[in-house]
């Protein structure tokens, strides 16, 4: 797949509106592209049909601007998830990485410039399964595992305008909804067979057709009205975060990011977490536990995504000076060791 040096080359006003307005909010309806065409026609003044919009989604996907069309699923809700880290000896780094990556429940693994130099996400169908995987990793690698499940979500979203010259993700957003949402370590459980089948069928995205929901219904041998109702339920329970055109943020210029960890006083955590989560350059903000017995004093995590590394650093300086006047460390990712979607077949099998 070839991407132009300027990814915005040849994009028109309709493309721009489609990219920035439909990262979420794709209608849960039998003919979603008809509703999108009506709204885009009203916004841009260009007369559009369902087929016109579908063709544009296909073209933007082929160019790599969209990763896929469909749902963004929520692994910590569907299963039991945690962020973990090890201190891999340099001479055994590749060996340790291979051992960790061999677990299909490990869906992200990054090398970071820090004493804890390997950071990975484990998502399993239950907390017991998740913790058994961490114990097995400890036993097979000989490395102590830092287990940091998410406890509170202040702001987590990689949905933001990209057809612009903004330096930072979310810079163009006028307002942000921020709250202190407690996260359970237990899997959601209780999924119906239809919901489980549906999640498996849509985890890679919807078919690029005029009738994506009908196509999914045909795949799982269900009535389309039942599929639409199930998707609405999964949105309400948080198993599906949003439905839209999932933008490739690296291709669209937001390739620089840094995970920053902060030692925030416990009595200030919710206040400061929500305040920082509302800032227009913070893309992720959440609470994870301290592990003082392992030398880990940090309890607030933030991510900043930007187009330039120097600008990202400047915003972290601003965070430290104006909002979080506490000890912190910056953990830059230096290598992607594994990056896949969560394995929902295993999640659902373990959770049923």
């Amino acid at each position: 797949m070839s991407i132009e040096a300027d990814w915005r080359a040849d994009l028109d006003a309709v493309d721009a509106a489609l990219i920035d307005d439909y990262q979420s909010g794709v209608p849960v309806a039998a003919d979603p592209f008809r509703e999108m065409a009506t709204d885009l026609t009203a916004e841009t003044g260009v007369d559009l049909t369902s087929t016109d919009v579908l063709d544009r989604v296909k073209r933007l996907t082929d160019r790599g601007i969209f990763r896929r069309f469909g749902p963004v699923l929520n692994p910590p809700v569907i299963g039991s998830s945690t962020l973990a880290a090890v201190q891999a000896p340099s001479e055994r780094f590749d060996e340790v990485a291979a051992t960790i990556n061999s677990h299909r429940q490990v869906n992200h693994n990054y090398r970071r410039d820090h004493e804890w130099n390997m950071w990975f996400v484990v998502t399993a169908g239950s907390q017991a399964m998740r913790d058994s995987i961490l114990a097995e990793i400890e036993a097979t690698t000989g490395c102590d595992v830092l287990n940091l499940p998410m406890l509170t979500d202040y702001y987590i979203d990689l949905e933001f305008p990209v057809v612009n010259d903004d330096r930072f993700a979310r810079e163009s957003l006028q307002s942000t909804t921020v709250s202190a949402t407690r996260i359970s370590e237990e899997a959601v459980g209780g999924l119906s067979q239809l919901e489980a089948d549906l999640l498996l069928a849509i985890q890679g995205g919807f078919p690029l057709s005029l009738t994506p929901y009908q196509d999914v219904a045909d795949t799982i041998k269900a009535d389309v009205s039942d599929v639409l109702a199930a998707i609405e339920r999964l949105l309400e329970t948080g198993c599906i975060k949003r439905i839209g055109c999932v933008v490739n943020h690296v291709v669209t210029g937001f390739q620089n990011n840094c995970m920053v960890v902060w030692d925030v006083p416990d009595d200030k955590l919710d206040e400061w977490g929500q305040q920082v989560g509302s800032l227009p350059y913070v893309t992720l903000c959440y609470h994870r536990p301290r592990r003082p017995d392992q030398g880990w004093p940090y309890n607030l995590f933030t991510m900043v995504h930007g187009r330039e590394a120097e600008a990202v650093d400047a915003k972290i300086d601003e965070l430290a000076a104006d909002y979080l006047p506490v000890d912190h460390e910056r953990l830059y990712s230096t290598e992607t060791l594994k990056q896949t979607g969560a394995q929902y077949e295993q999640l659902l099998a373990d959770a049923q």
Side-chain angles (χ1 to χ4, degrees):
M1 179 184 307
S2 175
I3 303 297
E4 293 90 346
D6 179 3
W7 68 273
R8 286 166 289 199
D10 302 325
L11 297 184
D12 62 14
V14 175
D15 292 327
L18 182 58
I19 293 167
D20 280 355
D21 295 354
Y22 281 100
Q23 294 177 42
S24 64
V26 164
V28 183
D31 188 358
F33 290 105
R34 179 182 59 79
E35 296 187 26
M36 293 167 66
T38 299
D39 292 342
L40 287 166
T41 294
E43 179 177 351
T44 65
V46 178
D47 190 21
L48 297 164
T49 67
S50 299
T51 301
D52 293 332
V53 177
L54 173 60
D55 287 345
R56 287 173 181 267
V57 171
K58 288 179 176 177
R59 176 168 53 81
L60 292 168
T61 302
D62 288 343
R63 287 180 56 177
I65 293 170
F66 291 154
R67 290 186 186 275
R68 65 182 185 281
F69 170 74
V72 174
L73 304 187
N74 197 353
V77 173
I78 300 171
S80 183
S81 184
T82 193
L83 175 67
V86 297
Q87 300 178 27
S90 58
E91 68 277 9
R92 296 182 53 230
F93 189 90
D94 291 345
E95 170 203 334
V96 172
T99 299
I100 291 173
N101 291 347
S102 68
H103 294 271
R104 60 180 175 176
Q105 293 90 346
V106 172
N107 49 290
H108 290 82
N109 191 0
Y110 300 98
R111 184 175 200 153
R112 293 191 179 275
D113 186 15
H114 189 266
E115 179 182 8
W116 294 92
N117 56 359
M118 192 179 301
W119 289 76
F120 55 98
V121 175
V122 177
T123 305
S126 66
Q127 184 179 353
M129 176 65 73
R130 183 200 74 188
D131 291 346
S132 72
I133 292 166
L134 295 178
E136 184 177 342
I137 288 172
E138 278 195 331
T140 54
T141 65
C143 297
D144 193 25
V145 172
L146 187 65
N147 180 14
L148 301 171
M150 188 185 304
L151 302 179
T152 310
D153 165 4
Y154 298 113
Y155 186 85
I156 299 178
D157 203 350
L158 285 177
E159 175 189 354
F160 45 79
V162 297
V163 190
N164 51 44
D165 293 318
D166 289 356
R167 299 158 301 161
F168 307 101
R170 297 176 60 200
E171 189 172 1
S172 297
L173 297 182
Q174 299 303 309
S175 62
T176 298
T177 300
V178 177
S179 63
T181 303
R182 309 304 177 197
I183 306 297
S184 171
E185 292 187 63
E186 295 295 333
V188 66
L191 293 173
S192 69
Q193 189 60 54
L194 171 63
E195 290 167 336
D197 291 344
L198 179 58
L199 286 172
L200 294 181
I202 65 178
Q203 63 181 310
F206 291 151
L208 284 177
S209 78
L210 290 173
T211 56
Y213 298 104
Q214 181 65 62
D215 293 350
V216 170
D218 292 344
T219 297
I220 64 174
K221 296 180 172 56
D223 189 88
V224 68
S225 62
D226 293 334
V227 165
L228 293 172
I231 287 177
E232 294 283 14
R233 288 195 303 273
L234 292 167
L235 283 164
E236 290 173 6
T237 59
C239 291
I240 297 176
K241 296 181 71 172
R242 55 187 166 95
I243 296 176
C245 301
V246 180
V247 167
N248 187 327
H249 298 103
V250 174
V251 168
T252 54
F254 293 93
Q255 71 271 24
N256 291 287
N257 66 79
C258 183
M259 183 175 81
V260 190
V261 293
W262 310 81
D263 181 7
V264 173
D266 292 339
D267 61 351
K268 295 288 187 181
L269 190 55
D270 281 353
E271 176 189 348
W272 288 10
Q274 291 178 87
Q275 182 182 33
V276 168
S278 69
L279 296 172
Y281 52 85
V282 174
T283 42
L284 306 175
C285 183
Y286 42 80
H287 166 213
R288 296 185 186 274
R290 308 177 193 274
R291 300 295 190 204
D293 57 323
Q294 295 176 284
W296 185 261
Y298 305 108
N299 58 350
L300 186 70
F301 286 61
T302 59
M303 290 282 291
V304 177
H305 286 73
R307 286 195 158 107
E308 299 165 354
E310 296 79 6
V312 169
D313 264 340
K315 280 301 179 186
I316 298 171
D317 291 341
E318 182 178 319
L319 265 181
D322 298 341
Y323 298 97
L324 295 170
V326 294
D327 289 343
H328 72 278
E329 291 194 67
R330 308 177 190 202
L331 284 72
Y332 295 92
S333 175
T334 58
E335 183 181 359
T336 299
L337 304 171
K338 185 177 183 181
Q339 188 172 19
T340 65
Q343 299 294 311
Y344 289 97
E345 290 86 351
Q346 187 64 33
L347 284 185
L348 296 171
D350 293 345
Q352 297 301 307

